[in-house]
Amino acid sequence: MERCVGTSVPRLDGFAKVTGRTKYIDDMDIPACWFAAAVRSPIPYGKIKSITFDPKFDWTKVATCTAKDIPGKNAAIFMLEDQPILASEFVRHVGEAVAVIAAPTKELAIEAVGHVKVEYEELTPVFTIEESKALKNVIYGNDNIISKYKIEKGDIEAGFKEADLVVEGEYRTGFHEHAYIEPQGVAAIPREDGGLTVVGSLQCPYYVLKTLKAVLNMDETKVNVVQAPMGGAFGGKEDYPSIMGSYVALLALKAKKPVKMVYSRDEDILVTTKRHPSIVRHRTGVKRDGTVTAMQVDVEFNGGAYSTLSQVVLARGILHSAGVYKCENILCRAACYATNNVPTGAFRGFGAPQTLFAVESHMDMVAAKVGIDPMTLRLKNCVKLRDSLCTGQVMRESVSAEECLTAATKSSHFLKKWYQYKDQLGSARQLPSPLMGEGQGEGGSPPPLPPNNRRTGKGGGDQGKEHIRRGIGLALYMHGGAFTGSGEAIMKTEAALRLNKNGTVSVLTGCTEMGQGAHTVLPQIAADALGIPFEFVNTAVPDTAMVPDSGPTVASRTTMVIGRTIEKCAAKFKTELEKFVKSSPKLAKAPFGEVAKAYFEAKGELKVIERYELPSWVRWDAENFRGDAYPAYSWACDVAEVEVDTETFEVNVEKMTIAFDPGKAVNPVLLEGQMEGGTLQALGFGLMEEMVYKGGRPLNSRLQTYIIPTVQDTPSFQVHIVENPVSHGPQGAKGIGELPVDGGAPAIANAIYNAIGVRMTDLPITAEKLYENSLSPKGRGSG
Ligand code: MOS
């Protein structure tokens, strides 16, 4: 039988989505449904003095809920339980909900919100990492620190002694909004048995269930959570639906009606999590030959008002902060600080895009100081088989940094272009001054520029393009798949296969489809493991009443972890069916569908549940961050080719060449889609996307003002798949959900440096910032 893994079968959810038939939560027509709205804090930090319901309003027409109406715990159940569902004593960020109201119409719910008066005693807020760290005001615990970690490898002081040069740098990133197409939405529907079904646009049904059980004081026999089709999530629907799901559940119980809540874009942007802003400082010792002898990295994240998932985001951040390098002497320190901003949380990449931007920008600066090219420096220092990363984790298999670097640089003719574009600067490295209107810098005339091949609409022809400088830059990076260390073993991840009456087989998993293709890829893996055609396999709707707890759909874990568990299920499942066929010889030659139907008729439903097993070699010391941080790493190299307009300082990314190792390409088309989509997201992070706040209030809470890349900004992509299988993944597959967001920004920043000699250390690299930096000598590179 031909294998299904490795072929690009169309997405099972694709047809309904592209033809507009899919019903998202906002489309779902729930009979007699009420709508909810929230009373939100207008201030970033304060004590709640009183909540008054206007006696002139008819409150009998609506249902209301404040903290004191919560039957169970008033907390979202994440790692820490520091975030209330509804604020009771303090508000800690603008937009925090103090009360929620449901009414038969949205308009009435919004009107009722206007009749709730909350009095606050305003307190002094803290907004930045610097203010929080300096304890300008203690707003969280006794030191404002949500969490901190340290990694030590070798002897950092000895490493600096060995070095001929020490290179320092500081790198910053800002608030980054998920901008999923579908805003957050969820509904609660009372069940006939007095229980409640919560359905919505959510990544992790079992996370929502955990919070609902605590908040409602109910057990899983009384409440179930169902994932509705989802219009994107990117990590943004990992934690927040637990809070929003609690709003509608509480109101549905009070109103005894179904209650739905779907955010408008600005409400969504106001209250849902963002990517952590970061400051990362590097101090690197290097020998004249380019050998890196010491890496000291200090990571600081802005955690916002509550922890959400900051502890694990910071862990992933620090674990990727020394990048792909085998350096023998490493010291990394990381801390996440609380502020009175909207909480920051999970966002595709989960801390790694920030720290990888820093290290991959910094490595270019190290190369420049040493006087070698960025590719050679990386070739010399990246891990190969049996080398170790910063936690001392020895690379035992499937390590492809070198192969990805080689593939991407060869395909893009990196070195040749890099030297050519570097030389266009001339020795004085001077830019044409936009203020003086000069045509050229003084460093000698640049070589003729390559033909201009911009897409129409973005530029003109070749004439008068002296102000366009080209540049090429690269980033080499990895992403750890699955939960950190022993996380996957502690979580007791389960998945199942079920034989259905109609002769098909369903994958039963709590893992969700959010556009990444999981609900197609898992059936592909199941089909091969069962030895049956793909058309017999599907994925059941994730409903906590029906599917086992497979852990959250996060951390680039689904393909490898759930895929492997499904393979285990399939082995037993197949044996059971084979036994059945042996007992009824007339089925010996029958096609699978008939065997399956006959089985169902004779013996009823067949369901096999299995638990994921971590490879036995994984050893993780969570106390000291030593050992096997992840059971597998995916690897990639991005090469960005840019044009910088030295009059307008706009950056146009012409081309991205990406070579990456997913272990095994389960579905090559979906895989390339992931890499291209994620890289475009990284381009947005690198060049244009930034939430701007004033006094804790967003100034750009719409997609008109929060600018994300569109098809106009999309470069041409050249994607190369390198397959280095991992022995404990399904047919060798590793995860790549987050990998694509990790490398684009530093590759682009490095290409800008190659083009105009200006080192940008602060994302996003807007035209304004690039202009300012090109004027100040500080921003100018010295390499
Ligand atoms: Mo993810 S960013 O691990 O939901």
Side-chain angles (χ1 to χ4, degrees):
M1 173 132 192
E2 279 199 14
R3 296 219 156 199
C4 185
V5 166
T7 67
S8 296
V9 296
R11 273 170 61 158
L12 292 175
D13 57 331
F15 185 75
K17 281 180 177 164
V18 297
T19 52
R21 285 167 212 209
T22 301
K23 293 238 185 278
Y24 295 89
I25 186 71
D26 199 31
D27 306 318
M28 285 179 193
D29 198 4
I30 302 167
C33 193
W34 284 25
F35 299 90
V39 177
R40 301 193 179 280
S41 169
I43 61 167
Y45 188 31
K47 200 166 169 20
I48 299 173
K49 283 164 66 184
S50 66
I51 304 174
T52 315
F53 289 83
D54 181 357
K56 284 188 223 103
F57 185 81
D58 182 1
W59 295 100
T60 61
K61 292 189 293 189
V62 301
T64 65
C65 183
T66 63
K68 65 177 179 10
D69 301 309
I70 294 175
K73 227 181 221 180
N74 181 14
I77 313 299
F78 304 135
M79 322 200 62
L80 300 174
E81 297 174 8
D82 59 348
Q83 183 170 16
I85 300 300
L86 291 165
S88 58
E89 264 190 89
F90 293 93
V91 287
R92 298 179 186 278
H93 67 89
V94 172
E96 184 166 4
V98 177
V100 282
I101 300 175
T105 65
K106 218 180 255 181
E107 292 70 24
L108 186 60
I110 291 167
E111 192 193 327
V113 163
H115 289 275
V116 181
K117 200 173 156 238
V118 186
E119 260 193 297
Y120 301 96
E121 177 193 329
E122 289 200 40
L123 299 168
T124 310
V126 164
F127 293 124
T128 63
I129 290 171
E130 289 90 341
E131 288 171 355
S132 181
K133 189 178 173 185
L135 296 177
K136 175 189 162 197
N137 192 5
V138 178
I139 60 158
Y140 192 96
N142 44 32
D143 56 4
N144 288 349
I145 293 176
I146 291 174
S147 93
K148 59 194 263 190
Y149 306 111
K150 187 159 90 173
I151 296 173
E152 281 178 290
K153 178 188 182 189
D155 179 344
I156 190 79
E157 286 315 319
F160 280 119
K161 275 202 196 103
E162 249 184 275
D164 296 317
L165 290 165
V166 173
V167 186
E168 298 190 34
E170 183 184 293
Y171 305 87
R172 289 171 182 252
T173 65
F175 287 98
H176 187 202
E177 158 62 29
H178 302 85
Y180 25 67
I181 297 173
E182 181 208 23
Q184 306 236 9
V186 61
I189 305 162
R191 303 194 316 210
E192 279 179 9
D193 65 355
L196 208 57
T197 295
V198 171
V199 51
S201 186
L202 45 93
Q203 242 174 282
C204 312
Y206 272 94
Y207 273 7
V208 178
L209 181 66
K210 198 166 163 193
T211 291
L212 288 175
K213 281 159 65 180
V215 170
L216 306 177
N217 219 351
M218 283 180 164
D219 67 16
E220 52 275 325
T221 64
K222 283 284 181 239
V223 55
N224 66 313
V225 179
V226 182
Q227 186 222 359
M230 190 151 54
F234 307 117
K237 294 170 183 172
E238 175 171 350
D239 48 23
Y240 193 79
S242 299
I243 293 167
M244 199 172 176
S246 298
Y247 297 160
V248 288
L250 288 162
L251 288 169
L253 289 177
K254 269 204 129 179
K256 302 194 168 44
K257 299 273 184 207
V259 175
K260 195 197 267 196
M261 193 174 201
V262 178
Y263 283 160
S264 62
R265 181 63 61 180
D266 51 351
E267 193 172 19
D268 190 297
I269 287 184
L270 179 71
V271 299
T272 65
T273 59
K274 306 284 169 271
R275 190 187 299 287
H276 293 69
S278 70
I279 304 172
V280 181
R281 295 183 187 88
H282 274 267
R283 196 165 171 253
T284 307
V286 60
K287 287 202 218 171
R288 290 215 184 279
D289 69 356
T291 307
V292 174
T293 59
M295 293 177 83
Q296 186 180 317
V297 194
D298 285 282
V299 179
E300 293 170 346
F301 279 4
N302 183 338
Y306 297 107
S307 63
T308 71
L309 300 154
S310 284
Q311 290 160 302
V312 264
V313 175
L314 187 72
R316 194 171 273 275
I318 191 175
L319 287 167
H320 290 75
S321 68
V324 296
Y325 303 103
K326 64 183 175 190
C327 176
E328 291 304 326
N329 309 295
I330 299 180
L331 170 64
C332 306
R333 290 171 293 206
C336 181
Y337 294 94
T339 60
N340 295 109
N341 293 103
V342 69
T344 45
F347 190 162
R348 194 176 189 184
F350 213 77
Q354 295 97 311
T355 56
L356 284 166
F357 165 66
V359 69
E360 282 309 278
S361 297
H362 189 69
M363 278 301 164
D364 259 41
M365 295 313 291
V366 171
K369 280 267 159 67
V370 176
I372 61 178
D373 69 80
M375 187 189 89
T376 306
L377 181 90
R378 285 172 175 83
L379 267 183
K380 214 178 173 80
N381 292 287
C382 71
V383 284
K384 285 134 205 148
L385 211 57
R386 285 179 287 279
D387 290 332
S388 70
L389 288 171
C390 64
T391 61
Q393 174 168 9
V394 176
M395 300 288 101
R396 36 177 74 228
E397 62 171 357
S398 193
V399 39
S400 313
E402 191 178 5
E403 213 172 323
C404 291
L405 180 66
T406 307
T409 51
K410 262 201 181 139
S411 153
S412 58
H413 306 286
F414 176 83
L415 265 194
K416 187 172 143 249
K417 289 179 184 169
W418 188 83
Y419 277 111
Q420 183 192 347
Y421 298 151
K422 183 172 177 276
D423 287 344
Q424 78 188 302
L425 298 170
S427 54
R429 296 193 154 264
Q430 208 146 12
L431 281 177
S433 160
L435 295 179
M436 307 299 286
E438 289 164 26
Q440 299 290 345
E442 287 166 19
S445 42
L449 289 160
N452 188 301
N453 60 353
R454 294 171 136 216
R455 292 170 294 287
T456 42
K458 288 186 80 175
D462 286 355
Q463 263 88 47
K465 286 286 173 192
E466 298 82 11
H467 52 93
I468 300 295
R469 291 273 175 92
R470 285 171 168 256
I472 192 166
L474 66 78
L476 182 62
Y477 56 100
M478 81 301 196
H479 199 95
F483 275 22
T484 306
S486 336
E488 293 292 342
I490 295 163
M491 238 179 2
K492 302 187 173 49
T493 289
E494 290 183 335
L497 284 176
R498 183 187 66 200
L499 182 72
N500 304 312
K501 193 176 176 185
N502 66 1
T504 60
V505 178
S506 292
V507 172
L508 303 186
T509 172
C511 281
T512 53
E513 173 64 56
M514 61 186 98
Q516 85 280 40
H519 284 189
T520 301
V521 161
L522 293 174
Q524 283 186 268
I525 292 166
D528 280 2
L530 291 166
I532 65 175
F534 178 66
E535 58 262 33
F536 287 103
V537 195
N538 57 46
T539 307
V541 171
D543 173 346
T544 57
M546 305 294 290
V547 301
D549 186 354
S550 310
T553 312
V554 303
S556 307
R557 63 188 288 277
T558 307
T559 301
M560 183 175 80
V561 171
I562 313 306
R564 182 71 201 106
T565 311
I566 290 297
E567 279 187 339
K568 267 178 82 181
C569 296
K572 269 198 194 158
F573 198 97
K574 206 174 158 194
T575 311
E576 175 66 18
L577 284 183
E578 279 166 1
K579 236 171 45 196
F580 177 69
V581 170
K582 270 199 195 115
S583 69
S584 27
K586 66 175 192 305
L587 288 171
K589 290 237 151 63
F592 176 77
E594 268 173 51
V595 174
K597 280 185 205 158
Y599 184 98
F600 198 96
E601 206 153 288
K603 310 184 89 168
E605 182 186 279
L606 170 62
K607 189 162 139 186
V608 178
I609 300 192
E610 286 284 354
R611 187 168 283 184
Y612 178 71
E613 270 172 284
L614 255 187
S616 58
W617 50 261
V618 173
R619 297 275 179 283
W620 177 242
D621 172 356
E623 200 64 37
N624 302 302
F625 268 46
R626 296 284 306 156
D628 302 313
Y630 297 101
Y633 293 85
S634 295
W635 308 87
C637 179
D638 285 358
V639 173
E641 293 178 61
V642 304
E643 289 180 341
V644 182
D645 188 321
T646 57
E647 281 177 359
T648 65
F649 288 87
E650 281 169 304
V651 176
N652 173 40
V653 182
E654 280 287 338
K655 186 178 176 191
M656 294 290 301
T657 304
I658 309 157
F660 74 108
D661 169 24
K664 167 80 188 172
V666 178
N667 186 316
V669 165
L670 288 183
L671 201 51
E672 284 174 31
Q674 282 274 69
M675 285 316 289
E676 293 179 2
T679 301
L680 194 60
Q681 218 161 13
L683 184 152
F685 178 54
L687 292 180
M688 56 189 87
E689 293 185 43
E690 185 178 30
M691 281 306 305
V692 182
Y693 291 89
K694 195 174 174 194
R697 285 171 201 86
L699 298 184
N700 52 342
S701 61
R702 302 172 165 256
L703 293 180
Q704 287 159 308
T705 47
Y706 183 82
I707 306 300
I708 61 172
T710 68
V711 69
Q712 285 273 347
D713 308 289
T714 305
S716 73
F717 288 106
Q718 183 74 51
V719 179
H720 301 275
I721 301 177
V722 171
E723 286 182 325
N724 264 329
V726 70
S727 50
H728 54 90
Q731 297 191 40
K734 308 182 276 193
I736 57 97
E738 300 170 290
L739 179 79
V741 190
D742 288 343
I748 291 167
N750 291 339
I752 293 170
Y753 181 74
N754 180 235
I756 61 172
V758 177
R759 170 55 57 185
M760 293 302 291
T761 57
D762 181 5
L763 297 185
I765 306 172
T766 58
E768 291 83 352
K769 276 195 216 164
L770 188 53
Y771 168 63
E772 279 168 19
N773 273 266
S774 68
L775 294 178
S776 83
K778 215 176 118 247
R780 307 292 284 274
S782 52

